[in-house]
Amino acid sequence: MKALIVYAHPKEGSFCEAVRLAVEEELRRRGASCEVEDLYAQGFDPLLTAEEQAGAFKGMFPEDVRRAQARVAEADLLVLVHPLWWSSVPAILKGWIDRVLAYGFAYDFGDGMRGLLKGKRVALFTSTGASEEVLRQGGTLDALKVFLDEGVFGSCGMEVVLHRYLFGPCGASDEERRVMLETVRRDAQTLA
């Protein structure tokens, strides 16, 4: 199995980085090959220009997008590891979605929208500053399910097999974070 981990956090040593490392380690331990797209480390440009958008409708993509699309095309499993900022994904990850999961590669239109990445599985690991109760009451978790799980990946024909939320790691004790990472490891074991 080939996995592509798309990682979106700017801070080295963050809890998100620990999550990414745990997922990668468990997948490799179970024989999966893993590639990591560290969006901040590689300086990924999230800006979708009008020219790039027009080019996508002609099957023309910039080199950085073609490389990322090739990694997605080769992967059986796409894993996103990111924080929740302002009830959404970091801008760099949203830009990756806009540019890489583009028309002609991830979806097209015929008698409606048609996902072109069928057979691919997706797992998401999202850390949050807020508690589950706050995010559930405010509707954020439902909104994310519509936006990411259904809207983005469902529209591309991909199946979201896991969306793990890690609530409040910044305010958690070392033991609570250790338990969260054990949960992440168990989740990753089910993905391989």
Side-chain angles (χ1 to χ4, degrees):
M1 180 189 75
K2 291 185 177 182
L4 175 63
I5 301 172
V6 180
Y7 174 62
H9 197 289
K11 185 178 176 197
E12 213 172 296
S14 69
F15 182 75
C16 267
E17 182 181 46
V19 169
R20 181 193 59 81
L21 292 169
V23 169
E24 183 179 1
E25 183 178 307
E26 289 302 325
L27 289 174
R28 287 186 193 281
R29 184 176 289 156
R30 280 161 178 66
S33 67
C34 292
E35 281 195 59
V36 176
E37 290 248 336
D38 184 335
L39 301 181
Y40 283 97
Q42 66 186 221
F44 182 82
D45 181 358
L47 185 61
L48 173 65
T49 65
E51 293 149 340
E52 184 177 330
Q53 186 181 36
F57 285 92
K58 299 173 187 168
M60 298 173 3
F61 299 100
E63 181 59 31
D64 64 333
V65 171
R66 283 198 314 267
R67 279 194 308 271
Q69 288 174 337
R71 288 185 185 117
V72 171
E74 292 171 2
D76 304 299
L77 173 68
L78 181 65
V79 179
L80 273 66
V81 179
H82 64 90
L84 183 69
W85 289 344
W86 288 109
S87 300
S88 190
V89 299
I92 200 167
L93 179 55
K94 179 60 169 75
W96 184 90
I97 290 168
D98 290 347
R99 294 186 67 213
V100 175
L101 301 182
Y103 176 86
F105 170 71
Y107 69 95
D108 67 11
F109 298 109
D111 293 334
M113 191 174 216
R114 179 177 64 140
L116 301 176
L117 298 175
K118 289 180 176 22
K120 296 191 182 296
R121 298 177 306 136
V122 179
L124 300 101
F125 293 88
T126 305
S127 68
T128 76
S131 69
E132 181 175 5
E133 179 183 9
V134 166
L135 294 175
R136 212 168 278 296
Q137 285 178 353
T140 300
L141 297 182
D142 290 335
L144 283 170
K145 181 175 176 56
V146 171
F147 161 51
L148 284 174
D149 301 11
E150 298 166 8
V152 172
F153 299 112
S155 295
C156 295
M158 303 167 92
E159 178 189 7
V160 174
V161 295
L162 172 74
H163 196 155
R164 170 68 64 198
Y165 292 95
L166 302 154
F167 299 101
C170 292
S173 68
D174 288 345
E175 176 61 16
E176 289 168 326
R177 283 191 295 275
R178 187 194 65 73
V179 169
M180 286 183 213
L181 289 173
E182 282 305 313
T183 299
V184 166
R185 287 183 180 284
R186 282 192 304 275
D187 287 342
Q189 291 167 9
T190 68
L191 299 171

